[in-house]
Amino acid sequence: MINFLDLKAINNQYQQELKDACVRVIDSGWYIMGNELTQFETEFAAYCGTKHAIGVANGLDALILTLRAWKELGKLQAGDEVIVQANTYIASVLAITENDLVPVLVEPNPATYNLDPTTVAAAITAKTKAILPVHLYGQLSPMPEIMAIAKKHNLLVLEDCAQAHGAEINGQRAGNWGNAASFSFYPGKNLGALGDAGAITTNDDELARTLKALRNYGSHKKYENLYQGVNSRLDEIQAAMLRVKLPYLEAETIRRQKISQAYRSGITNPLVTLPHVIDELAHVWHLFVVRCEQREALQAYLAEQGVQTLIHYPVAPHKQQAYSQWNNISLPVTEEIHQQVLSLPLDPTMSEEAVAQVIAAVNGFNA
């Protein structure tokens, strides 16, 4: 069986360095908010090209806390609208509703699956205060156009970069386009910790100070609390793991790009729609997502051929029980995407033989 993603193999590449980093943290005697976190924040901010990176417990918290910080700073208030593409993972929407803000779900670009400036512009009302572009599958949303819309209407922009570590447009990386950006370092991400972890990047000094307090019980100074904050701190062990893996991210991205190029040139099955790529060198390929009208049959066939696939995501947020009040909303582009997408194996440790086997299996499918 060709696994969708072999995390054991990925982390085995750096096994000794990861173990050494663990020992370093254990021997330090300092396990929360210490040197490893400080160093990782500096290194990750430099990687993204931003002034600040603020480590938090996970990617969802990164989204929630950024919106919360803007509320504390008076830039948002309950009831404000936030525009987001409807085909995102539910976390993007949860962060909005958790802050008593109103998600405005818009149809994505059907070719790239990312936010469409046309639907964004059409959705703006007097209550719109922010845009939340989600960089799905490893390719950036059209950020120059989105930022132009935001500037015209004086809107905040929060990038969801959970799937886009290192993706760029014209040399400017994910996390350095909007007013702030959230990252997840969930183990399966391109830059993955060995547990939950997340970060926020920004060039806004005031926002960074507010976020550092909010993640730590609302405290900027021990036993003094500016805000009713939370406990959402990136711990020393996970920061140390990420410090080991960050220098290897570029090489892993290049391998992902080569696998994706092989898929895109080798898969010729007319029943399968391949991803639309704007810039080969700017796409970091967190996922290789194809579309097929006979998705379930394709997935079953590939399993028979020894190829594991996943669906990102089978149910759109507006069709979830959690948001039952939206279940009757019609978003046909989004709904079709969720009914047809299938993610092929994409693992930087895959052999050439495995890549060829996936290509042959997809080409062998005949509904």
Side-chain angles (χ1 to χ4, degrees), residues 302-340:
L302 292 178
E304 291 172 1
Q305 303 303 308
V307 176
Q308 182 188 29
T309 58
L310 296 178
I311 299 172
H312 297 87
Y313 306 96
V315 182
H318 73 285
K319 295 297 184 182
Q320 298 283 357
Q321 179 61 35
Y323 293 113
S324 59
Q325 69 271 30
W326 301 336
N327 287 175
N328 293 326
I329 293 175
S330 176
L331 293 164
V333 173
T334 292
E335 289 155 22
E336 183 176 270
I337 287 170
H338 284 267
Q339 291 163 6
Q340 295 183 358

Side-chain angles (χ1 to χ4, degrees), residues 202-276:
T202 185
N203 293 307
D204 184 330
D205 295 341
E206 184 180 35
L207 177 62
R209 284 193 299 270
T210 305
L211 286 165
K212 287 180 179 180
L214 283 173
R215 73 175 175 184
N216 188 36
Y217 299 97
S219 174
H220 70 299
K221 182 178 179 181
K222 196 168 185 177
Y223 302 129
E224 294 183 16
N225 303 78
L226 291 171
Y227 313 106
Q228 296 175 26
V230 299
N231 177 4
S232 181
R233 302 174 298 204
L234 175 57
D235 69 69
E236 288 290 280
I237 287 285
Q238 296 306 334
M241 300 297 96
L242 291 165
R243 290 190 67 203
V244 168
K245 297 180 72 175
L246 180 58
Y248 297 104
L249 179 57
E250 286 301 294
E252 289 200 2
T253 297
I254 291 170
R255 178 59 184 152
R256 287 175 178 272
Q257 290 170 338
K258 288 181 177 178
I259 293 169
S260 299
Q261 287 168 0
Y263 281 168
R264 294 180 64 237
S265 61
I267 295 173
T268 56
N269 192 325
L271 298 174
V272 176
T273 301
L274 296 173
H276 176 74

Side-chain angles (χ1 to χ4, degrees), residues 348-359:
T349 67
M350 286 177 73
S351 67
E352 297 301 331
E353 292 76 15
V355 173
Q357 185 177 334
V358 173
I359 293 169

Side-chain angles (χ1 to χ4, degrees), residues 47-48 166-174 176-177 279 282:
Y47 176 81
C48 295
E168 60 184 49
I169 296 176
N170 299 327
Q172 188 169 334
R173 280 185 166 155
N176 193 24
W177 281 94
D279 183 345

Side-chain angles (χ1 to χ4, degrees), residues 43-98:
E43 292 157 7
F44 191 66
Y47 176 81
C48 295
T50 58
K51 289 178 66 176
H52 305 283
I54 301 97
V56 294
N58 55 69
L60 176 57
D61 281 3
L63 289 167
I64 290 173
L65 290 175
T66 304
L67 295 172
R68 167 75 187 282
W70 281 332
K71 289 180 73 177
E72 294 288 355
L73 293 169
K75 296 183 178 182
L76 292 176
Q77 61 183 1
D80 285 345
E81 295 178 349
V82 181
I83 296 173
V84 63
Q85 67 246 50
N87 62 313
T88 185
Y89 181 56
I90 198 169
S92 310
V93 182
L94 289 170
I96 298 169
T97 56
E98 179 68 16

